Amino acid sequence: MQQQLSDVFTTPRDVDDIRYHYEINCQVIDLIPGHTEKIGVTGGEPTLMEGLFFDLIERLSSRLPATVAHILTNGRAFSRRSFTERFQSVNTPNVVLGIPLYSDYYARHDYVVQAKGAYNQTLLGLHNLGRVGARIEVRVVLHRLTYERLPQLAKFIFMNLPFVEQVSLMGLEYTGYTPYNDKILWIEPSEYVAELITAVEYLDSNGIRVSIYNHSLCTIPERLWKYSAKSISDWKRQYPNECGKCLVRDACGGVFATSKKLSSHIRPIEAL
Ligand code: SF4
């Protein structure tokens, strides 16, 4: 049956439309130029596609062999050895898995993702993936529930997950469910700058590549600028009016056009 676009993009819905979307995505993949550097795969949770998840990776690898496929997943499915083994059979050096870990303390991670047992599954998944040589990026979104133990989390990653390729510390995009949880989540970057410096410099000094995503340069100290990436996708990046006279505009990744609230510390850098 023909679906309407308004149906397709209204989530969540209690229907099994996985194959329908999979087939659309296959058609999209066929249209992507072969010289594309990177493609992002997100969800929902793509591993919930089970067998089609592996079919998707195979299709990406065969149609776009030179393109890095960056796949966002909560990593929990990889706690099953059989799932990881199946992944290993389709994995290539161009597949990177971005997996969130919100705390070194299980209860905090489980609370953030609102799923009991998630921490244990994600950690087991990370270790299974490490065992098969997967490329892994650990992602930490910074907000009021995650910033306090950021230094401990950095140490935990170094001690227990030294095989990860990169750690990305990410600013909060104030959209979706975040505005409804403003008091629980929102925090100015200036309030967690001490924890951010400690975590970043600890990871860097211990040889783990670390990046700061989604922070405009004026909201973090200059000593952290070298870790900052222009991570906001161009279609949802913007530069507020203040940026017009900023000396570092070209190096700055701007702010989310989709965020309904921005840091109150956005100020042009007028001297270096
Ligand atoms: S003023 Fe604008 S361009 Fe300058 S650092 Fe801040 S957000 Fe970036």
Side-chain angles (χ1 to χ4, degrees):
M1 194 201 313
Q2 187 78 30
Q3 284 186 280
Q4 301 295 316
L5 276 184
S6 56
D7 292 336
V8 172
F9 293 114
T10 304
T11 57
R13 297 183 317 131
D14 190 16
V15 293
D16 182 356
D17 51 7
I18 288 177
R19 180 161 287 280
Y20 172 81
H21 288 287
Y22 170 77
E23 280 168 7
I24 289 180
N25 280 315
C26 286
Q27 292 173 41
V28 171
I29 289 167
D30 291 349
L31 297 173
I32 295 174
H35 62 263
T36 302
E37 275 179 42
K38 191 185 274 192
I39 182 168
V41 178
T42 72
E45 172 53 49
T47 58
L48 292 178
M49 297 196 309
E50 290 286 338
L52 291 180
F53 175 68
F54 307 113
D55 294 348
L56 183 74
I57 294 174
E58 280 189 313
R59 190 171 190 104
L60 282 167
S61 306
S62 64
R63 301 292 170 113
L64 299 166
T67 303
V68 171
H70 187 273
I71 302 172
L72 295 182
T73 167
N74 60 32
R76 293 168 63 187
F78 299 94
S79 62
R80 286 182 272 142
R81 276 285 185 102
S82 57
F83 193 91
T84 306
E85 282 163 8
R86 183 87 191 274
F87 169 76
Q88 186 180 14
S89 71
V90 298
N91 190 23
T92 78
N94 274 345
V95 174
V96 181
L97 299 170
I99 299 179
L101 186 63
Y102 294 116
S103 178
D104 61 317
Y105 177 50
Y106 78 98
R108 180 50 57 108
H109 177 90
D110 285 2
Y111 180 70
V112 170
V113 303
Q114 291 288 291
K116 206 169 173 201
Y119 175 88
N120 286 341
Q121 287 182 329
T122 294
L123 271 187
L124 189 51
L126 284 164
H127 279 277
N128 283 339
L129 287 166
R131 200 173 287 123
V132 300
R135 294 180 64 188
I136 302 167
E137 173 202 27
V138 168
R139 302 190 137 208
V140 188
V141 179
L142 303 176
H143 50 62
R144 197 165 282 288
L145 293 174
T146 58
Y147 83 94
E148 280 173 312
R149 293 191 64 84
L150 191 57
Q152 290 92 332
L153 177 58
K155 190 168 184 186
F156 179 87
I157 291 170
F158 171 63
M159 303 292 275
N160 296 287
L161 306 166
F163 47 84
V164 303
E165 184 170 308
Q166 165 153 342
V167 176
S168 301
L169 306 175
M170 312 178 63
L172 186 66
E173 185 177 3
Y174 196 87
T175 188
Y177 287 116
T178 303
Y180 299 104
N181 294 288
D182 177 274
K183 287 196 168 36
I184 299 171
L185 297 175
W186 174 255
I187 183 171
E188 283 283 351
S190 58
E191 292 181 63
Y192 58 68
V193 81
E195 289 82 0
L196 186 61
I197 290 173
T198 303
V200 167
E201 295 184 347
Y202 174 84
L203 288 166
D204 187 35
S205 64
N206 282 292
I208 294 195
R209 195 163 83 202
V210 55
S211 292
I212 299 172
Y213 285 177
N214 311 345
H215 286 74
S216 44
L217 294 181
C218 51
T219 62
I220 55 175
E222 194 171 342
R223 67 196 269 188
L224 293 182
W225 287 3
K226 63 180 177 180
Y227 303 101
S228 178
K230 293 174 82 168
S231 53
I232 299 175
S233 310
D234 51 4
W235 62 271
K236 59 177 175 178
R237 179 195 308 154
Q238 72 172 13
Y239 293 89
N241 291 339
E242 297 91 311
C243 305
K245 42 187 179 166
C246 180
L247 292 177
V248 298
R249 190 185 187 284
D250 288 346
C252 176
V255 300
F256 282 111
T258 44
S259 272
K260 297 180 177 70
K261 182 169 173 176
L262 298 175
S263 167
S264 59
H265 294 264
I266 292 176
R267 307 256 189 290
I269 308 286
E270 296 184 278
L272 290 171

